[in-house]
């Protein structure tokens, strides 16, 4: 994500904070205080979501599944029948899902995959070069583990077919 866009996103809670501190005309004192407190709470909630979302993303391999913990909960991908490979592709246009600074979730177009995959479901913090997981009749998953080679090795140890070609 570009630095400019990231700054623009963080500008929202800052503006809410400033609105909370603006004087409120034509309201009784209790109304001014209540409105200011509501704006402060809004700013705090938005800031917390923007700050926590990327930190909530976590991939955990169990004996028989990949557990993807994200902001909306935990998604379980069974390893049986799964295939995996690295991709040089990058996430492009989001067709459905959400995006916060450092956190991408949903369905995306994939650009630049050497084997022609164009649509993926992503739960990632890095839109560039990830691992594609195929199986279970859905769009491939795009994940971005910190160490892709060791992630693929761990998948292979659990019986997942790992393809070596990009």
């Amino acid at each position: 994500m570009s630095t400019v866009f990231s700054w623009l996103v963080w500008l929202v809670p800052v503006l809410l904070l400033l609105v909370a501190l603006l004087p409120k005309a034509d309201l009784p004192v209790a109304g001014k205080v209540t409105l200011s407190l509501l704006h402060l709470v809004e700013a705090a909630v938005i800031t917390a979501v923007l700050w926590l979302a990327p930190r909530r993303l976590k991939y955990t391999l169990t004996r028989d599944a990949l557990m993807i913990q994200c902001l909306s909960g935990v998604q379980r991908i069974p390893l049986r029948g799964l295939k995996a490979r690295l991709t040089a592709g990058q996430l492009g246009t989001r067709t459905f899902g959400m995006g916060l600074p450092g956190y991408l979730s949903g369905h995306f177009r994939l650009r630049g995959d050497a084997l022609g995959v164009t649509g993926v479901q992503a739960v990632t913090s890095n839109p560039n070069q990830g691992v594609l997981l195929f199986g279970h009749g859905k769009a491939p998953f795009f994940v971005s583990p910190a160490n892709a080679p060791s992630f693929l090795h761990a998948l292979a140890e659990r019986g997942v077919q790992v393809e070596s070609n990009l």
Side-chain angles (χ1 to χ4, degrees):
M1 177 180 310
S2 74
T3 305
V4 172
F5 183 70
S6 184
W7 280 103
L8 287 173
V9 170
W10 281 103
L11 186 63
V12 171
V14 170
L15 288 174
L16 278 173
L17 183 63
L18 291 175
V19 167
L21 301 175
L22 287 175
K24 280 92 176 143
D26 301 333
L27 283 177
V29 173
K32 291 178 185 179
V33 170
T34 302
L35 195 57
S36 292
L37 287 174
L38 283 174
H39 285 300
L40 288 173
V41 168
E42 286 174 331
V45 168
I46 290 173
T47 301
V49 167
L50 292 176
W51 185 73
L52 289 175
R55 289 159 182 79
R56 295 274 305 163
L57 181 60
K58 181 174 156 185
Y59 307 121
T60 305
L61 277 173
T62 65
R63 189 179 84 257
D64 63 346
L66 169 63
M67 308 300 280
I68 302 175
Q69 180 181 341
C70 56
L71 192 62
S72 61
V74 177
Q75 186 167 11
R76 182 180 187 276
I77 301 173
L79 297 181
R80 175 176 266 187
L82 203 62
K83 294 180 184 178
R85 71 172 169 85
L86 284 173
T87 180
Q90 299 177 332
L91 293 183
T93 306
R94 180 181 13 262
T95 57
F96 182 78
M98 68 178 227
L100 297 170
Y103 184 89
L104 300 165
S105 176
H107 294 272
F108 291 81
R109 304 305 296 158
L110 185 67
R111 298 182 310 230
D113 181 64
L115 298 181
V117 173
T118 57
V120 295
Q121 183 176 351
V123 181
T124 182
S125 59
N126 181 359
N128 305 312
Q129 290 189 317
V131 172
L132 292 178
L133 305 171
F134 299 88
H136 311 296
K138 298 179 181 178
F141 271 88
F142 180 98
V143 295
S144 58
N147 186 337
S150 76
F151 179 74
L152 288 170
H153 180 72
L155 286 173
E157 286 179 341
R158 289 167 174 82
V160 173
Q161 181 181 343
V162 175
E163 299 172 2
S164 61
N165 52 344
L166 288 174

